[in-house]
Amino acid sequence: MTERLAARQMIALLAEDFTELPHRTGESRPGGPLGWEGYDASRARAAARTGERESVVCGTARVQGTRAVLIAFEFGYLGGSLGERTGDLLEAAYAHARAHRLPVVPLVATGGSRMQEGMLALTQLQRVARQSALLREAGLPQVAVVRDPTTGGGWATLGAGADVTLALPGAQVGFAGSRVRPPDADPAAYTAEAQLAAGAVDGVVRPRELRGELGRWLRLLTAPSAEPAPLPRPLGGT
């Protein structure tokens, strides 16, 4: 298992001059949308433990000279789960990226949807998928870094849905989390290395090399070339 860094530790590892985007979450009813008993207390404990108000930290920064919108998940906040307020922050981050013509870098560590919000939590995945589609329609790239763990809808939308997906070594990556897999499932099939072998991620990158690799991809995807692309060789040619 790879080391689990907090959201702001991941940002510090990769980026310079990070500026957090304003919090624009809607008002939450007591107990959340379902009136779930104990939900408010769970959120309060998570906030006290992590220092965060939600499971994502969103802002702008430079990664080796390329300005981007970073979305860093805080797994210590209710397992990095996606709820209604998470969706508000993600939607605002993507809108900012489109308005300022910036690429998006999700730094994903999540168990998926937040069970205390029921079906409303599942609809946040649709919101995220729509924002990802709008970003691609605007011609802006998305380079994801999947951390330990990245499962559920977070993997399906922010991880697998990116233009380029990088993974940390040994990270648990896959749609089914460890608690909901078949009893005879091979744990090795749910790793970053297995996803690389299957073609679901583009590279497994060690943390100390991640800034350089991420910066390289951002430069390739955002800096237009003035040189014409070389013609491919004909099939069977020399």
Side-chain angles (χ1 to χ4, degrees), residues 37-52 76-78 116:
E37 186 177 353
Y39 183 27
D40 291 341
S42 294
R43 286 192 290 194
R45 287 193 299 270
R49 182 169 58 250
T50 64
E52 306 297 348
Y77 191 104
L78 300 180
Q116 294 94 333

Side-chain angles (χ1 to χ4, degrees), residues 72-96:
F73 277 73
E74 176 52 70
F75 189 77
Y77 191 104
L78 300 180
S81 56
L82 284 85
E84 186 176 25
R85 297 194 311 190
T86 322
D88 291 341
L89 292 170
L90 292 173
E91 191 169 61
Y94 276 92
H96 184 89

Side-chain angles (χ1 to χ4, degrees), residues 24-222:
R24 295 178 182 174
T25 58
E27 291 297 323
S28 181
R29 297 186 295 275
L34 303 183
W36 188 288
E37 186 177 353
Y39 183 27
D40 291 341
S42 294
R43 286 192 290 194
R45 287 193 299 270
R49 182 169 58 250
T50 64
E52 306 297 348
R53 294 173 56 187
E54 248 305 325
S55 58
V56 291
V57 178
C58 305
T60 60
R62 292 189 185 277
V63 181
Q64 289 206 323
T66 302
R67 193 143 201 88
V69 169
L70 269 59
I71 298 171
F73 277 73
E74 176 52 70
F75 189 77
Y77 191 104
L78 300 180
S81 56
L82 284 85
E84 186 176 25
R85 297 194 311 190
T86 322
D88 291 341
L89 292 170
L90 292 173
E91 191 169 61
Y94 276 92
H96 184 89
R98 293 196 307 276
H100 296 273
R101 304 294 301 168
L102 297 175
V104 173
V105 179
L107 308 171
V108 192
T110 176
S113 301
R114 190 170 298 170
M115 65 177 185
Q116 294 94 333
E117 296 189 16
M119 286 299 297
L120 185 61
L122 291 176
T123 66
Q124 305 312 308
L125 303 180
Q126 184 273 336
R127 289 177 77 184
V128 174
R130 178 176 181 271
Q131 292 302 315
S132 183
L134 289 173
L135 191 77
R136 183 172 289 112
E137 188 178 89
L140 297 167
Q142 186 170 199
V143 182
V145 177
V146 292
R147 300 148 55 204
D148 183 61
T150 297
T151 60
W155 160 242
T157 54
L158 289 160
D163 298 298
V164 175
T165 305
L166 307 175
L168 294 181
Q172 180 186 172
V173 181
F175 187 73
S178 57
R179 295 184 180 181
V180 295
R181 293 176 199 151
D184 57 348
D186 179 8
Y190 298 84
T191 62
E193 289 76 10
Q195 298 296 350
L196 176 64
V201 304
D202 298 291
V204 175
V205 186
R206 288 177 290 185
R208 66 175 178 270
E209 299 168 355
L210 188 56
R211 183 190 290 237
E213 187 73 5
L214 181 57
R216 183 172 72 91
W217 276 110
L218 289 172
R219 287 193 300 275
L220 288 170
L221 293 171
T222 59

